Amino acid sequence: MHELSLAGGILRIVEQTAEHEHFARLLRLRLEAGSLSGVDVRALSFALESMAPATVLEGAVIEIEEPLGRAWCMGCQQQIDVRARGDACPSCGSSQWIACGGTELRVVDMEVADA
Amino acid sequence: MCVVCGCSDTGARVDAAPARAGTDRQQDVHFGLGEARVSVPGMSQTRAIQIERNVLSANNSVAAANRARFAAHGVAAFNLVSSPGSGKTTLLCATLQALRQRRPGWPVAVIEGDQQTSHDADRIRATGAPAIQINTGKGCHLDAPMVAEAFDRLHDHFHHHHHHDHGHAHGDEHAHDQAGGLLFIENVGNLVCPALWDLGEAAKVAILSVTEGEDKPLKYPDMFAAARLMLLNKIDLLPHLSFDVARCVDMARRVNPGIEIIQVSATTGQGLDDWLHWIEHQAGGSHGHGHHAHPADTPEAVDDTDALKRRIRELESELARARSLAAP
């Protein structure tokens, strides 16, 4: 359940931003959890939900996008989309590929109210 | 319903689609759909703030600082990860004893991560190696700040060995021409969470025992994808099991084409030499490599080729990443 630690990291990023930007209220927070990031989006939602009351996250809409993983296929020597580790390349069937995108959990942006 | 205590009104609601089904779908979490979202016309001025920040960036910057400190001390650090019961600590004890025979005077220390107790650190100290126990409490993994703090306490151990003019308790002359040392970080027994946390290590080493089932690499792909080496442990038990080594290797390579694999038994000592050799190789090659010749067909040469192949794959993926960023 590392998603709880990750939710804590997200909360800290939002709190730091609140300090710098002096906004009154967080309306919307956009996150990105790549399908190769090792993050379970349901568990992350659950963790954020548990953590939100009495924090800057309370009352905000949180969107979590899950971009597909990108990888370099060693079988067909090109970039491919992949959903999960261990999957076969959709174009040549090889399972020899190396992830090059969709591996991160990121805070993308937020919408805030100043008053 | 509140997910923490079960009370009925937190004002929170999750609109969760089935996990990963349809993947690309947005899964919105709405906190406080009640009063907090009542809009007051003319009151609010909203604006957007770009963040674009990796949630693990705070950990990663401490990990980078750890890595720089290890390098400054000439310390090669390995992050040992596995499920509970794979024999990590037993293997580590056997490794420490074998290293002492093979490279007397090479400073080696251990950071032990467990939720509770100092049992493992006690076992390590019984071999004569200094060990720091980190108890994570409820935590399921070590993070970079924990390792930074533990390394502070081990600092003297490496510091003394690193300087030539110290007459100190360790008193080993060999230490002086073998600056640096080894740091083993035994992570919390968990094949999921530690995969994401960089501690500043030179490499993650995943330990899988043959009593666990050969499909673990596919079941826990993130960990085996993050590891540079897989140690297949307890191979002395293979005659009593239906474990298919070739299938296990194949599954590990499916989630990580570049992963190196060494079969070991902490109990019989089988394969320990290969493992020690791998450690020395990763630690920079200056340890012990001067002592023997390098004909082209030695295991070292094979290691070099594998390392180069791995590097080429890493660079290919780096290039692909750069290209995808450059593309509009």
Side-chain angles (χ1 to χ4, degrees):
Chain A
M1 187 59 185
H2 52 286
E3 282 77 8
L4 202 57
S5 313
L6 295 172
I10 291 166
L11 176 60
R12 267 194 299 282
I13 289 175
V14 176
E15 284 174 343
Q16 284 165 6
T17 311
E19 264 175 47
H20 290 137
E21 298 278 341
H22 307 291
F23 58 79
R25 207 152 54 86
L26 177 70
L27 301 176
R28 183 181 296 272
L29 176 66
R30 207 151 60 90
L31 309 173
E32 205 177 83
S35 65
L36 301 178
S37 66
V39 175
D40 185 293
V41 170
R42 268 172 73 94
L44 183 63
S45 303
F46 186 83
L48 286 167
E49 188 183 343
S50 318
M51 199 170 273
T55 71
V56 67
L57 297 179
E58 189 167 14
V61 175
I62 301 187
E63 297 170 4
I64 308 175
E65 286 169 27
E66 289 182 88
L68 277 180
R70 291 288 285 165
W72 174 256
C73 176
M74 287 148 59
C76 56
Q77 303 284 306
Q78 60 172 334
Q79 269 200 61
I80 54 170
D81 286 332
V82 284
R83 288 181 193 283
R85 296 198 188 272
D87 279 2
C89 167
S91 83
C92 76
S94 165
S95 52
Q96 305 277 294
W97 48 258
I98 292 186
C100 57
T103 58
E104 275 191 348
L105 171 65
R106 295 191 312 139
V107 177
V108 180
D109 57 21
M110 57 181 77
E111 196 182 309
V112 301
D114 287 326
Chain B
M1 190 181 74
C2 168
V3 294
V4 178
C5 65
C7 70
S8 60
D9 186 17
T10 60
R13 199 186 86 200
V14 180
D15 286 346
R20 307 260 186 221
T23 51
D24 255 348
R25 183 142 32 131
Q26 285 190 2
Q27 294 179 312
D28 296 352
V29 186
H30 302 283
F31 297 100
L33 272 182
E35 291 162 296
R37 289 194 78 209
V38 175
S39 64
V40 183
M43 286 288 288
S44 292
Q45 288 209 319
T46 68
R47 62 191 163 108
I49 304 171
Q50 290 288 318
I51 309 279
E52 299 285 347
R53 218 166 117 193
N54 186 336
V55 172
L56 286 165
S57 58
N59 178 78
N60 293 349
S61 61
V62 178
N66 287 350
R67 193 165 277 121
R69 275 180 84 193
F70 298 155
H73 287 81
V75 171
F78 301 101
N79 182 358
L80 308 184
V81 291
S82 81
S83 48
S86 67
K88 271 197 308 291
T89 311
T90 305
L91 180 61
L92 192 47
C93 289
T95 303
L96 295 170
Q97 277 152 358
L99 269 171
R100 173 165 311 152
Q101 302 253 311
R102 188 170 162 124
R103 301 268 168 261
W106 199 11
V108 180
V110 175
I111 295 173
E112 273 291 339
D114 283 298
Q115 283 200 313
Q116 308 261 3
T117 82
S118 62
H119 292 175
D120 282 0
D122 296 341
R123 285 172 68 188
I124 298 296
R125 288 184 197 118
T127 71
I132 301 290
Q133 179 78 48
I134 300 174
N135 284 139
T136 58
K138 300 297 173 208
C140 51
H141 57 268
L142 294 177
D143 62 29
M146 292 176 187
V147 169
E149 204 176 317
F151 190 69
D152 283 343
R153 299 181 193 190
L154 285 170
H155 181 264
D156 285 350
H157 178 67
F158 290 113
H159 186 73
H160 283 175
H161 279 88
H162 200 54
H163 287 276
H164 290 206
D165 53 356
H166 275 227
H168 50 73
H170 303 289
D172 194 322
E173 293 303 313
H174 294 289
H176 299 158
D177 45 26
Q178 293 181 332
L182 286 180
L183 175 64
F184 293 104
I185 304 165
E186 187 181 330
N187 219 311
V188 178
N190 177 342
L191 266 183
V192 183
C193 312
L196 271 65
W197 271 264
D198 182 9
L199 307 178
E201 70 272 359
K204 282 191 177 72
V205 176
I207 297 153
L208 174 62
S209 65
V210 296
T211 51
E212 293 176 64
E214 63 221 7
D215 54 353
K216 274 237 166 128
L218 273 191
K219 285 181 173 169
Y220 300 92
D222 293 313
M223 186 61 86
F224 290 89
R228 186 174 304 167
L229 172 70
M230 176 172 96
L231 287 175
L232 197 54
N233 193 22
K234 306 189 188 177
I235 55 163
D236 54 301
L237 296 177
L238 278 174
H240 312 288
L241 303 164
S242 58
F243 188 94
D244 184 341
V245 173
R247 191 156 167 260
C248 179
V249 167
D250 177 59
M251 289 184 178
R253 296 247 154 91
R254 266 173 70 185
V255 298
N256 181 351
I259 197 166
E260 295 172 70
I261 297 164
I262 297 175
Q263 299 182 37
V264 293
S265 163
T267 309
T268 65
Q270 197 180 343
L272 270 189
D273 274 350
D274 292 340
W275 160 227
L276 296 186
H277 188 88
W278 187 90
I279 292 168
E280 289 170 339
H281 198 83
Q282 298 293 320
S286 62
H287 303 284
H289 278 216
H291 300 299
H292 46 232
H294 259 252
D297 56 352
T298 58
E300 294 92 301
V302 176
D303 277 0
D304 285 344
T305 313
D306 283 349
L308 280 172
K309 280 182 184 161
R310 194 178 60 240
R311 186 67 192 135
I312 288 167
R313 290 188 205 113
E314 284 168 3
L315 289 170
E316 275 173 347
S317 104
E318 197 71 23
L319 184 65
R321 191 203 310 254
R323 280 189 181 139
S324 73
L325 284 176

